[in-house]
Amino acid sequence: MFLDKMEKFLDNLTPMDLMRSEKMTFVQLIIPAESAHRAISYLGELGLLQFRDLNADKSPFQRTFVNQVKRCAEMSRKLRFFKDQINKAGIMSSSHTALQPEIDLEDLEIQLAEHEHELIEMNSNSDKLRQSYNELLEFKIVLQKACGFLVSSHGRAIPDERELQENVYSNDFVETTSLLEQEIRPGPSNPSGLRFISGIICKSKLLRFERMLFRATRGNMLFNQAPADDQIMDPVSAEMIEKTVFVVFFSGEQARTKILKICEAFGANCYPVPEDISKQRQITREVSSRLTDLEATLDAGLRHRNKALASVGEHLSDWMNMVRREKAVYDTLNMLNFDVTKKCLVGEGWCPIFAKTQIQEALQRATFDSSSQVGIICHPMDAVESPPTYFRTNSFTSPYQEIVDAYGVARYQEANPAVYTTIIFPFLFAVMFGDWGHGICLLLGALILIARESKLSTQKLGSFMEMLFGGRYVLLLMSLFSIYCGLIYNEFFSVPFHIFGESAYRCRDNTCRDAHTIGLVKVRDPYPFGVDPKWRGSRSELAFLNSMKMKMSILLGVVHMNLGIILSYFNARFFGNSLDIRYQFVPQMIFLNSLFGYLSLLIVVKWCTGSQADLYHVMIYMFLSPTDNLGDNELFWGQRPLQIVLLLLALIAAPWMLFPKPFILKKIHTERFQGRSYGMLNTSEMDLEEPDSARQHHHEEFNFSELGSLRTFYCFL
């Protein structure tokens, strides 16, 4: 299956298409007004034309199609509102959207307005019903709890004045929530003039509330409390809140006014509780009956609201895509010039040369579908600025192209590094990963993503899963290379195995007691493939494995850097830039291979000869004492004079690649600028019509930082 997909991917891509960016051409479009929308929509689906903004000097509010963009933005807001409501309701949107006939933007706008008005009205009614339900529920709880403080053998139990000095405090407190405006009539009074106020408050604010009452009445009150049996939903946050019922006994109208103000400040809801037991029972029955009716009404409203949200959710994805597409079309139309007299739009942009036929077909289809009497004109033009870079990619090569573009986009017609990245990136990952057990796990995950490609491509994935799915072929190659390198390292979940026969070493004695301290004895030919499993746990394990992996990393790094410099040579040769070849490619190759290339040679020679030379010592004293005798560190005849020659070449190459090129370019830039200044009198009409941005580009000051040492070292690395 994978090979079939690869063959399909590479059918339309030649080696030259992969190596360099597509050749671009600058075109001008003259589009009649009646077919402009369809033309831009079809070109957007094609994705092979990059428009240039011809109205860059205008603000977004001065452009032709600003009203349509505003309408699309408003519809996007409504769709986001629907999406938030669906998520809050916990409704799972179906991955398969329902079939719906094609609708235009105006009809969709009307539908969205109707759905929004209906949903807002349902939310408002639901909030009012929820508020009434909460008030009745609190009233019922207050009736049940407060009556216990009032009932006595005579039907009422108003405390005497001595009890007003006793108070009880609790410990929890937080900030207030909403306020409830309730008209409270004075409670009945006894001959001594005592009254009471009953209500309910959040449990977290009870301590501060009680302290404030005590201080406001100077202790002339009695505070009774009881926890509510049921939690009450907050209509704003939809969270369940614990509340406490309280009854405050006091004396005097002035104390009543203070207590009511404190209740209002703390968000405590006060409810009148009659002292007569029969009235209490009657009110409790009425409240319970109304609560039952409200519960039924709330459930019916919730079902109706969820049904409306579900019907919206069936088409939400299609609507969002449609609005997003329409907004992109009008944003593109705002980049075109509108000719009022000829009733047409004029646009300019870049497209690949191979796509001209497809663009012409799309424009003809737009003319036919819009029933326009005038066709769309598309003709090439000359451009001053450099064309944009465009690489043809597919689902296999696009993740590698994104990795390369994250570091920098190649200039127009430069060699594409992503071609080499398709192999180098997964292989270098495997060199670091190097475990065929983990590689098999990674391979299974990649195969699952590839097998379910058609299904997952139509679903909306999270950011992490979308990244994994987009790089499924990268994971596939990474896993295959990891298995290969893991076999070389002989590591299966960090455990060595005798996969390719017995080890070439054995212990010095039969007990293997001192195998990890004294060492092993070689008894047969080397292990046929990969690292011998006996190295694991031996006294030479770290020295051998670290040395092998470090030296292998140096060799791979040097090869990688040489590849980058060679690519710069082919770029310079393609553009006919002999300056880059003489003052960039040649000194960089000399500098790199005189030092690191020589180190790679020493590593290979040491591997082949089994020498015990210290390469650290060789490289350090190559700079500190190049004329000294190498002694035991000499790997081959003539090594010392070769080191002196390479050191001199490196010293010459460093200033060679840093200094000549910037000054030569500075001289060329100055000569061209002076020549243009003296030739202004002979400027043609076409030159005078050159855009201001292009003329400013020509007259930019020369910047050494772009072409000096920083850019050179960047190209070198």
Side-chain angles (χ1 to χ4, degrees), residues 379-619:
H379 59 88
M381 292 179 60
D382 295 331
V384 177
E385 66 269 17
S386 177
T389 303
Y390 173 73
F391 294 109
R392 272 194 284 178
T393 59
N394 48 48
S395 57
F396 178 78
T397 59
S398 58
Y400 296 103
Q401 191 66 56
E402 291 178 2
I403 293 172
V404 173
D405 291 343
Y407 291 92
V409 180
R411 291 184 299 172
Y412 178 63
Q413 286 287 283
E414 279 190 341
N416 186 12
V419 178
Y420 307 95
T421 309
T422 55
I423 297 299
I424 293 175
F425 179 81
F427 180 71
L428 291 181
F429 168 82
V431 171
M432 296 182 292
F433 200 59
D435 191 302
W436 63 280
H438 292 97
I440 291 174
C441 297
L442 191 61
L443 176 62
L444 294 177
L447 292 177
I448 291 174
L449 292 175
I450 294 174
R452 305 181 64 184
E453 179 178 354
S454 57
K455 182 178 180 181
L456 293 176
S457 59
T458 58
Q459 296 180 358
K460 185 174 182 181
L461 307 174
S463 57
F464 180 73
M465 281 301 300
E466 188 174 353
M467 179 183 65
L468 289 180
F469 179 71
R472 56 194 179 278
Y473 295 107
V474 180
L475 295 176
L476 178 66
L477 292 184
M478 286 164 53
S479 62
L480 294 176
F481 282 117
S482 296
I483 295 173
Y484 171 73
C485 291
L487 293 174
I488 292 179
Y489 297 157
N490 198 355
E491 289 191 1
F492 179 80
F493 295 107
S494 300
V495 177
F497 274 82
H498 294 269
I499 307 174
F500 301 101
E502 294 295 327
S503 171
Y505 299 89
R506 64 175 177 82
C507 301
R508 293 180 181 272
D509 57 0
N510 295 329
T511 61
C512 288
R513 181 183 57 189
D514 300 326
H516 302 319
T517 57
I518 298 177
L520 303 171
V521 178
K522 186 174 182 180
V523 295
R524 59 176 62 90
D525 293 335
Y527 200 67
F529 185 84
V531 176
D532 195 305
K534 279 292 185 179
W535 283 107
R536 180 58 59 90
S538 67
R539 64 172 185 171
S540 305
E541 177 186 6
L542 287 178
F544 172 75
L545 293 179
N546 289 353
S547 177
M548 181 195 72
K549 294 180 180 180
M550 181 186 67
K551 292 174 182 177
M552 186 65 69
S553 300
I554 293 174
L555 294 178
L556 292 175
V558 172
V559 172
H560 201 179
M561 288 190 288
N562 274 288
L563 175 62
I565 298 174
I566 292 173
L567 285 180
S568 69
Y569 165 77
F570 284 108
N571 283 333
R573 183 179 176 183
F574 179 82
F575 291 110
N577 192 344
S578 59
L579 193 65
D580 284 349
I581 296 177
R582 290 196 302 267
Y583 299 106
Q584 181 172 302
F585 168 73
V586 175
Q588 285 180 0
M589 289 294 291
I590 293 174
F591 185 84
L592 174 64
N593 292 289
S594 296
L595 301 180
F596 302 103
Y598 174 63
L599 176 60
S600 302
L601 175 64
L602 295 180
I603 292 173
V604 174
V605 171
K606 183 177 179 180
W607 280 349
C608 295
T609 60
S611 174
Q612 298 298 320
D614 187 358
L615 299 186
Y616 295 106
H617 185 276
V618 173
M619 294 303 297

Side-chain angles (χ1 to χ4, degrees), residues 322-394:
M322 178 181 176
V323 172
R324 192 181 300 112
R325 183 173 60 250
E326 291 294 320
K327 187 176 184 299
V329 169
Y330 287 115
D331 284 336
T332 305
L333 287 172
N334 279 332
M335 300 171 67
L336 278 58
N337 279 335
F338 184 69
D339 192 337
V340 182
T341 58
K342 299 180 181 179
K343 295 183 179 180
C344 65
L345 288 91
V346 180
E348 297 176 356
W350 293 94
C351 71
I353 292 179
F354 77 87
K356 291 178 64 176
T357 304
Q358 302 178 47
I359 291 175
Q360 291 285 1
E361 293 175 355
L363 295 178
Q364 292 175 4
R365 185 158 52 94
T367 303
F368 178 78
D369 292 345
S370 59
S371 302
S372 176
Q373 301 297 324
V374 182
I376 301 174
I377 301 174
C378 176
H379 59 88
M381 292 179 60
D382 295 331
V384 177
E385 66 269 17
S386 177
T389 303
Y390 173 73
F391 294 109
R392 272 194 284 178
T393 59
N394 48 48

Side-chain angles (χ1 to χ4, degrees), residues 1-2 51 72 80 109 122 139 214 265 274 309 325 331 334 342 347 377 387 395 487 610 692 711 715:
M1 181 180 63
F2 170 70
F51 283 94
C72 292
R80 290 194 301 269
E109 187 176 14
M122 286 190 293
F139 192 15
F214 181 82
L309 288 175
R325 183 173 60 250
D331 284 336
N334 279 332
K342 299 180 181 179
I377 301 174
S395 57
L487 293 174
D692 294 338
R711 183 175 177 83
C715 297

